[in-house]
Amino acid sequence: MSEYANPSVLVSTDWVHERLNSGIKIVEVDVDTQQYGAGHIPGAVAFDWTTQLQDQTRRDIIGKDEFEQLVGAAGISNDDEVVIYGDNNNWFAAYALWVFKYYGHDNVKLMNGGRSKWLDEEDKPLTTDVPSPAPTTYTVKGTNPAIRAFVQDVLGVVKDGNANLVDVRSHDEYSGKVIAPPGMSETAQRGGHVPGAKSVPWVTAVNPDGTFKSRADLEKIYFQDAGVIEGKDTIAYCRIGERSSHTWFVLKYLLGLPNVKNYDGSWTEYGSMIGVPIER
Amino acid sequence: MNHQTRVYDDIFEMLPDEDNPTPLVRINRLNPEPGFTLYAKLEWMNPFGSVKDRAASYLLRQMEEEKGLRPEGANGPDDPGKGIVEPTSGNTGLSLAGLAGVRGYPMKAVLPNKVPLEKKLMLRLAGSELEVVNDDLCPSPGMGEGSINLARTIARAQSDRYAMPHQYENENNVRAHMETTGPEIWKQTAGEITHVITSLGTCGTVSGLSKFLKAKNPDIRVIAVAPSEGHDVPGLRNKSQLAVTTLYDESLIDDVLEIDYELAYTRAAELFSREGLRAGPSAGLIFEGGRIVAQRDKTGLGVMIFCDDAFKYAKSFAKHMPELVEGTAPQNQQPEPIGALKE
């Protein structure tokens, strides 16, 4: 993994296994929240992306106070080294990592391959014991707005063309054939994509075992094949901002693009706005 | 055990084999090609009502031999026993639960939410616990399904309580058909079979039948039917959904026929009303495959594997054939709404 631009944000299952009782804090974030209860890495706590990482009233990530409360109750201190993992190729784990980074917790990493890889390796223990960590007083010292895009930022790029836009949804969502994947309740008023966006479905970045592809493969996928330009600022988006956190992670940390933002309003916001330009 | 009088000491003795085959029944009124004989193999005549009894009995035996299954209470009244956990769309779980119950083993079925309620209730009746997963939450191509990963997690984290046969990867699933279904058909047709037509799910049936029958006669054509994209034929997979199973081997199959999934329902209804065969949707799709092959190849003897019957799928039939619901209430009254129609 040393090949990546910022290798310190990604750790292997073996790395985690060797440090299970070393004081690192492990957090599981799944799409399917039943998975944690059935068995998880010993010592790991679980965050529920629907109820704990999103504001329950307005559409937003959780506020500063809620983040402090959530992380403090999980026994995590400001100086702790946090490792996040989850199902579905770390999809929602990457979203949680983005929220941690947004609230200024720098020492946070993803476990490469997520829970599927851990399950595949017979030497890796699983438990159903839910830990009861001693609560801490966690204080957010500042936010990191540079990693978050709002719709004004996206419209600015549409107007000036001065940044890469990466649409990480499926090809059918990008083309406007469907507005959302089948069965999704959150949707938009219109199908299509932001003008100028390049289409690279998020899952293109991972190997069959759930680990990230090599840096050379990722460079080919994003730079050579999709036409993402290396030196430019970049905004990644999807439907509700979770899948794009995964691509945000790839572009920012594995490929080292200078200024990458996740647009968490994503298509459910953009595709519902009056009068904004849409391409199909 | 006496197959002649059909008197048995327990349900295990009723499991099918060469001496106790499931019936073959010829298609008459619905056969589109007089020169081509079509037989349906009625797998719903198995003890738990589907073709899955075959794989389930092989898988259970293997788990007993290799994973040390233990009946509840084996080591005292507080011993919960050690049983089976398996991701299943219903039929394998039902067979496993039924067989496990006879032996006293606990059973936990992990299944996607889209499985029809009837199948879930049958699993409960057979004594299985359920873990229901909302697979629709995971629109991620190439990933293992949520139910499979959850079952794997349970088998790893609670290995003292559950063992997982993993029907999608277990060669005993294939072996069951090499040792029972294949020899039955060979004997029942006196070796005259020219085509076998079945569906794709775990692919244990198609792989096992192909290995046995092609060893007997390499000219036998093995045809698989697959429902068209976006289908909701329970238990079946189309080609884009096969990544999940390691038992699919393209080299064992001569043709994969992709068929409009609505025909699964309409053909099944024709089979019931005109041949007296109470076919479930998968059997309806396979019958359409048989029709296509008969019309294409003109002569031969085809055997179609009719996996299970219609009884578990009333809601699915009502959804795809809304005309079935007409006339089910007194005049001037609306028919009672059923769940699948509200979608």
Side-chain angles (χ1 to χ4, degrees):
Chain A
M1 288 185 280
S2 56
E3 57 183 320
Y4 297 124
N6 295 288
S8 66
V9 290
L10 193 63
V11 294
S12 67
T13 49
D14 287 337
W15 187 97
V16 174
H17 190 201
E18 286 156 16
R19 289 165 181 76
L20 279 183
N21 296 308
S22 69
I24 60 168
K25 300 295 165 72
I26 307 173
V27 178
E28 173 159 347
V29 185
D30 295 321
V31 179
D32 172 8
T33 50
Q34 283 162 280
Q35 302 278 345
Y36 173 85
H40 50 261
I41 298 179
V45 299
F47 291 167
D48 183 320
W49 69 274
T50 52
T51 59
Q52 293 181 296
L53 294 175
Q54 302 194 60
D55 190 283
Q56 295 299 291
T57 308
R58 62 179 199 284
R59 184 174 175 206
D60 207 343
I61 58 172
I62 50 171
K64 171 179 162 295
D65 293 350
E66 288 82 25
F67 183 81
E68 288 174 339
Q69 215 170 1
L70 174 72
V71 173
I76 297 170
S77 303
N78 286 70
D79 298 332
D80 276 335
E81 182 168 33
V82 177
V83 176
I84 309 181
Y85 76 103
D87 63 357
N88 260 5
N89 302 323
N90 278 328
W91 171 6
F92 279 56
Y95 175 70
L97 182 137
W98 177 73
V99 175
F100 268 83
K101 288 281 190 186
Y102 181 78
Y103 282 117
H105 194 104
D106 280 334
N107 196 0
V108 57
K109 304 159 194 298
L110 274 191
M111 184 178 83
N112 203 9
R115 75 172 282 127
S116 176
K117 185 156 198 298
W118 188 272
L119 270 181
D120 281 339
E121 294 170 349
E122 287 292 327
D123 63 323
K124 304 296 189 291
L126 281 176
T127 181
T128 53
D129 297 339
V130 177
S132 315
T136 65
T137 304
Y138 190 97
T139 311
V140 170
K141 302 206 170 102
T143 56
N144 188 5
I147 61 172
R148 189 179 194 192
F150 291 95
V151 70
Q152 295 84 346
D153 303 314
V154 177
L155 289 168
V157 176
V158 173
K159 187 160 165 271
D160 301 333
N162 55 354
N164 299 303
L165 285 167
V166 182
D167 185 319
V168 316
R169 300 173 299 160
S170 63
H171 291 303
D172 281 352
E173 289 169 277
Y174 177 82
S175 70
K177 186 177 168 193
V178 300
I179 295 181
M184 296 291 106
S185 55
E186 314 98 337
T187 181
Q189 293 300 312
R190 289 288 185 270
H193 57 267
V194 181
K198 314 287 189 194
S199 171
V200 188
W202 71 284
V203 81
T204 316
V206 296
N207 294 309
D209 70 350
T211 56
F212 289 104
K213 286 182 179 162
S214 68
R215 184 169 183 177
D217 285 349
L218 293 172
E219 283 175 346
K220 180 171 186 312
I221 289 165
Y222 290 96
F223 301 153
Q224 278 106 61
D225 296 348
V228 172
I229 296 165
E230 274 191 75
K232 274 189 172 181
D233 294 354
T234 304
I235 296 175
Y237 73 92
C238 59
R239 186 174 52 91
I240 53 174
E242 276 87 7
R243 283 177 286 182
S244 51
S245 311
H246 191 272
T247 298
W248 164 83
F249 181 88
V250 171
L251 296 175
K252 181 170 177 64
Y253 295 111
L254 305 187
L255 291 178
L257 291 188
N259 182 14
V260 189
K261 294 177 194 289
N262 178 32
Y263 169 38
D264 56 315
S266 275
W267 194 255
T268 47
E269 178 178 56
Y270 192 94
S272 298
M273 294 190 73
I274 301 284
V276 298
I278 288 177
E279 210 168 68
R280 283 196 184 179
Chain B
M1 171 162 67
N2 186 333
H3 290 315
Q4 193 108 42
T5 58
R6 296 185 67 79
V7 175
Y8 299 102
D9 287 336
D10 68 22
I11 202 81
F12 278 82
E13 291 187 352
M14 270 182 70
L15 289 166
D17 60 22
E18 220 176 332
D19 298 324
N20 183 35
T22 52
L24 280 194
V25 178
R26 201 177 64 215
I27 303 295
N28 299 303
R29 295 177 69 195
L30 293 176
N31 186 342
E33 189 60 55
F36 196 105
T37 307
L38 274 174
Y39 277 102
K41 190 160 176 63
L42 306 190
E43 291 298 301
W44 61 73
M45 299 298 281
N46 280 308
F48 299 99
S50 84
V51 66
K52 293 295 190 179
D53 284 8
R54 300 174 187 273
S57 59
Y58 272 67
L59 297 174
L60 188 81
R61 198 184 312 153
Q62 181 200 15
M63 293 295 104
E64 285 179 316
E65 287 166 4
E66 296 175 11
K67 301 283 183 176
L69 300 190
R70 193 173 72 242
E72 287 177 48
N75 295 333
D78 296 333
D79 180 11
K82 177 172 177 179
I84 298 282
V85 61
E86 182 68 4
T88 167
S89 63
N91 279 329
T92 303
L94 191 59
S95 300
L96 281 170
L99 294 169
V102 174
R103 294 271 207 257
Y105 308 136
M107 165 81 197
K108 190 191 278 282
V110 185
L111 63 169
N113 193 33
K114 64 187 171 195
V115 169
L117 179 65
E118 294 95 321
K119 279 191 175 181
K120 293 176 184 163
L121 294 178
M122 288 301 287
L123 282 165
R124 296 292 292 273
L125 277 173
S128 179
E129 294 174 65
L130 303 186
E131 291 277 351
V132 182
V133 175
N134 196 349
D135 273 343
D136 287 342
L137 276 174
C138 317
S140 51
M143 272 300 292
E145 292 184 350
S147 46
I148 294 177
N149 281 333
L150 186 61
R152 286 169 65 212
T153 304
I154 292 166
R156 283 281 310 279
Q158 301 179 55
S159 57
D160 54 329
R161 297 226 29 218
Y162 297 102
M164 178 172 162
H166 211 319
Q167 58 169 331
Y168 291 95
E169 293 180 1
N170 194 320
E171 282 294 328
N172 276 292
N173 183 354
V174 177
R175 201 158 70 86
H177 296 283
M178 293 173 69
E179 294 180 2
T180 69
T181 331
E184 286 172 36
I185 292 172
W186 187 252
K187 191 173 169 186
Q188 287 173 305
T189 63
E192 290 181 8
I193 177 174
T194 59
H195 297 69
V196 64
I197 302 119
T198 187
S199 53
L200 304 173
T202 64
C203 300
T205 308
V206 73
S207 296
L209 280 176
S210 180
K211 283 182 180 172
F212 177 85
L213 291 172
K214 282 182 181 283
K216 286 288 187 188
N217 174 2
D219 292 335
I220 292 174
R221 302 291 88 186
V222 176
I223 318 290
V225 303
S228 48
E229 287 295 330
H231 76 93
D232 65 348
V233 184
L236 298 199
R237 291 177 181 274
N238 55 37
K239 283 184 98 170
S240 69
Q241 296 170 309
L242 287 174
V244 78
T245 177
T246 62
L247 306 180
Y248 175 65
D249 180 348
E250 219 168 19
S251 70
L252 295 171
I253 303 174
D254 296 294
D255 290 308
V256 177
L257 304 177
E258 188 177 289
I259 295 171
D260 176 4
Y261 64 81
E262 292 291 349
L263 284 167
Y265 295 93
T266 50
R267 290 291 184 220
E270 289 172 17
L271 283 164
F272 205 159
S273 61
R274 300 187 62 192
E275 298 282 351
L277 299 176
R278 56 175 200 259
S282 63
L285 199 79
I286 289 166
F287 174 54
E288 176 62 13
R291 282 172 41 88
I292 292 169
V293 168
Q295 287 172 309
R296 184 190 70 188
D297 294 351
K298 307 293 184 201
T299 58
L301 190 161
V303 173
M304 304 175 290
I305 308 299
F306 279 12
C307 310
D308 66 356
D309 67 21
F311 289 156
K312 290 187 289 275
Y313 306 102
K315 281 185 181 175
S316 301
F317 276 102
K319 180 180 165 195
H320 289 274
M321 301 176 68
E323 66 274 17
L324 289 175
V325 182
E326 289 168 18
T328 58
Q331 279 190 341
N332 305 323
Q333 283 188 36
Q334 287 297 312
E336 190 181 341
I338 60 171
L341 290 177
K342 292 183 202 162
E343 282 174 8

